[in-house]
Amino acid sequence: MDQTLPVLECTELTKSYGPTMALSDLSLKVPRGRVVGLLGPNGSGKTTLMKLICGLLTPTRGQIRVCGLAPGPQSKAIVSYLPERTYLAPSMKVAAALDYFADFYTDFDRAAALDMLARLGVGTTQPMSALSKGTKEKVQLVLVMARRASLYLLDEPIGGVDPAARDYILDTIIGNYHRDASIIISTHLVADVEHILDDFIFLRGGLVEKCASVSFAQEAGYASLDDLFRKEFRC
């Protein structure tokens, strides 16, 4: 795999649902070794973009490349995706979820997953139905981060986690990816995540409104990225 290629490149990417335009001529690049915040209000196209990158949706027009690969079996093998909603069967035990990922992904590191679960205080013998919403999210995050992927796509990874655990979860994210990969985090909790971000992308109405280093916020006179976000997207 060519290490000089960006982890993600989107060119004039458009996705419409009939007359509704979810993304419109979106172009961006994400180089290796970056943690990027994908930020914007509800309906801005964040989840649609992630699903397109994963190959779960097909673009209306435009191009996506993950490490130079078009969405397909090869690109899916190097993308680790955390959707916003729980997808594991209620009857599945945590240990069985580990088995599932180990069978399905050759890059899954079971030892790393067990270590993360232990540090998060999550056992492996309970079924998903017995876990709280926040604990289910922890399990799914561990499964995703225990892969040796090139691109991690995390859709609201801390939305259902109690505030006291958020920093620990974010530390888990940062501590368990290799530095030639990149992470894209979609979230509304900008203040909670900005300290781990290198760059940010503001989406509004399916368009890239701003794409820059996190340092841009203070250089532009804002107190923080969260301050910039609130002022850009004030109702």
Side-chain angles (χ1 to χ4, degrees):
M1 191 177 298
D2 188 345
Q3 297 293 313
T4 65
L5 292 171
V7 167
L8 173 67
E9 183 170 9
C10 301
T11 306
E12 297 180 351
L13 185 62
T14 297
K15 178 63 180 177
S16 61
Y17 300 95
T20 302
M21 193 70 71
L23 294 175
S24 180
D25 291 324
L26 180 148
S27 295
L28 59 85
K29 289 183 182 181
V30 176
R32 294 178 183 274
R34 308 298 284 178
V35 181
V36 182
L38 183 62
L39 313 174
N42 290 333
S44 59
K46 301 186 299 297
T47 295
T48 296
L49 176 57
M50 287 193 167
K51 288 182 176 180
L52 286 165
I53 296 166
C54 290
L56 298 175
L57 294 174
T58 302
T60 304
R61 63 177 180 271
Q63 180 176 280
I64 303 167
R65 292 291 182 267
V66 179
C67 298
L69 302 169
Q74 285 183 298
S75 71
K76 290 179 181 181
I78 58 174
V79 175
S80 193
Y81 174 48
L82 176 71
E84 185 177 7
R85 296 184 179 181
T86 301
Y87 58 85
L88 297 172
S91 61
M92 180 179 280
K93 293 184 178 180
V94 176
L98 296 176
D99 292 338
Y100 178 79
F101 264 64
D103 286 344
F104 204 79
Y105 298 108
T106 58
D107 62 359
F108 182 71
D109 187 337
R110 181 190 292 269
L114 288 169
D115 178 64
M116 283 187 274
L117 289 171
R119 288 189 284 117
L120 291 168
V122 179
T124 61
T125 59
Q126 288 185 300
M128 296 299 292
S129 60
L131 305 179
S132 68
K133 182 177 185 293
T135 303
K136 289 176 185 175
E137 291 190 1
K138 290 176 183 177
V139 171
Q140 292 193 162
L141 177 63
V142 164
L143 293 170
V144 166
M145 295 310 301
R147 289 185 55 201
R148 297 285 293 178
S150 295
L151 177 62
Y152 299 85
L153 301 174
L154 310 180
D155 197 352
E156 294 291 346
I158 57 172
V161 177
D162 59 277
R166 283 175 188 164
D167 281 345
Y168 196 79
I169 293 293
L170 293 171
D171 288 344
T172 298
I173 292 171
I174 294 302
N176 287 277
Y177 88 104
H178 51 102
R179 295 309 191 261
D180 58 346
S182 287
I183 301 176
I184 299 178
I185 301 175
S186 170
T187 184
H188 294 101
L189 301 171
V190 182
D192 290 280
V193 304
E194 66 176 285
H195 69 283
I196 70 165
L197 301 179
D198 298 307
D199 308 305
F200 70 91
I201 299 166
F202 281 176
L203 283 188
R204 188 198 300 266
L207 299 168
V208 173
E209 187 164 284
K210 196 176 265 84
C211 183
S213 167
V214 169
S215 62
F216 167 86
Q218 292 192 339
E219 290 167 1
Y222 295 91
S224 63
L225 180 60
D226 183 57
D227 183 38
L228 172 60
F229 178 83
R230 289 174 183 272
K231 289 174 179 174
E232 287 279 336
F233 296 104
R234 181 181 290 124
C235 294

